[in-house]
Amino acid sequence: MLQSLDHQPNGPEFDPAAFDNSTPVLLIGGQANALSLCRSYGRLGITDRATGPQDYWAALSRYCKESYQLPRGASAQDFLANLLLSGKHPELEGHALVYCSDSAIEFIAGHRAELEKKYLLDDSQPDMQLALLDKLETLKLAQQAGVGAPQHWPMNSEADLERLRQEIRWPVIVKPLFSHEFQRVFRTKFFQVDRDFDALAQRVRQCWELEQPIMIVEQIPGPDDLLSSYYTYIDREGRWYYDYTKRVLRRYPVNKGGGTFHESVWMPETAEEGRKFFSGIGFTGFGNVEFKRDPRDNTLKIIEANARFTAAQELVARSNAPLDLVYYCRITRQPAPKFTSFREGVRYWYLDKDFMAYLEMRKRGLITFSEWVKSVYPFNHASPLHDWRDPMPSIVGASQKAAAILKRRK
């Protein structure tokens, strides 16, 4: 596979022999993405530090020099302010800050001027980062850029809810404007409602009561393998560093959960729409946008966009697409590697969650056991957790999962 990328920057070529790995990195938040980045940067000889929740995989990696764990129940924003702005951790000054979660984006975008005095940051624009955290604003930006978007309705009042009764297109999703806050409150990404307006109204009012801003979005029909994503990096001079695409094969729960099986594959139309979106909104920095093909009109429609590394980062790394290295080089102002191709057909697999997806799909008559086994054979996929060269995250992760199962059974 070779794609055309005539918008790559001119300038000095990346020279591995001259690469300067002396700037340490601080990975902020995330889970599978942070672990992948910790391992990749550690193998490059870059000093890794990380900060995240109590069960943070990156903190268990042999490549992580030091970790700072968020106390249970604590505010991520207050914790990061104390860690990065209080002066209590001088050992962190001079680090390159790497966003791995929405909370990290929210904090860094809100304090960028202060942080730039002590740390290295990428080419992102705070206003744009915050706009992409807002799911309604993301859809508005997509429409302004001429990119397809699902039908959606803001929900701010009873009048909005009553108006929806006449316009609704079932099924729908009660979707948060700020996913990380919604998940903290409800422990789910969104609420799905099928043809029951009273149930929908109850969910909407529940969100209002808990001060969670939401919108209603039509659910695009069709299987999960209609989902695809585009990744790029754009510097402040408007130069694009790469194109990378992947697709989802399965999710759990089906049609509404996180991806359980992904594949690296070049998808020209996804890349074209991704470029249109990012160029149309004047985006800079690391960008990812996800689409779903709508079988009703055969067009790609935006699902969400991120200004950070995603959970599928290990798939990207195993596909020989050095997105993490480009990011590091941009922060440290070194020539970044250029690439116009990546390894296709690499697959990324959450074994336990994908088995749950299979069980749900089998119940619906969508797949048989032999078809599921055939789809995942041979079993040599990239894993979000397991790596024999760095076993501790796997060992602790397995023990935590076993403990959680025993607790549920009791």
Side-chain angles (χ1 to χ4, degrees), residues 29-30 64 67 167 172 212 240 308 317 324 348 384 396:
C64 183
S67 65
E167 303 176 6
V172 296
Q212 292 298 308
W240 300 58
R308 58 167 174 80
D324 45 11
Y348 182 65
V396 175

Side-chain angles (χ1 to χ4, degrees), residues 170-184:
W170 299 102
V172 296
I173 293 167
V174 181
K175 190 168 185 176
L177 302 194
F178 302 98
S179 295
H180 58 299
E181 291 296 332
F182 188 89
Q183 290 185 61
R184 180 181 60 80

Side-chain angles (χ1 to χ4, degrees), residues 189-190 224 251-259:
K189 295 173 68 175
F190 53 76
D224 290 326
R251 291 192 295 169
Y252 179 75
V254 174
N255 293 141
K256 60 182 178 180

Side-chain angles (χ1 to χ4, degrees), residues 58 60 194 236 356:
L60 303 169
D194 299 318
R236 294 196 175 185
M356 297 300 291

Side-chain angles (χ1 to χ4, degrees), residues 192-206:
Q192 181 179 321
V193 183
D194 299 318
R195 300 187 181 282
D196 186 337
F197 195 86
D198 290 339
L200 174 63
Q202 183 179 2
R203 284 298 192 187
V204 168
R205 293 181 184 121
Q206 182 184 14

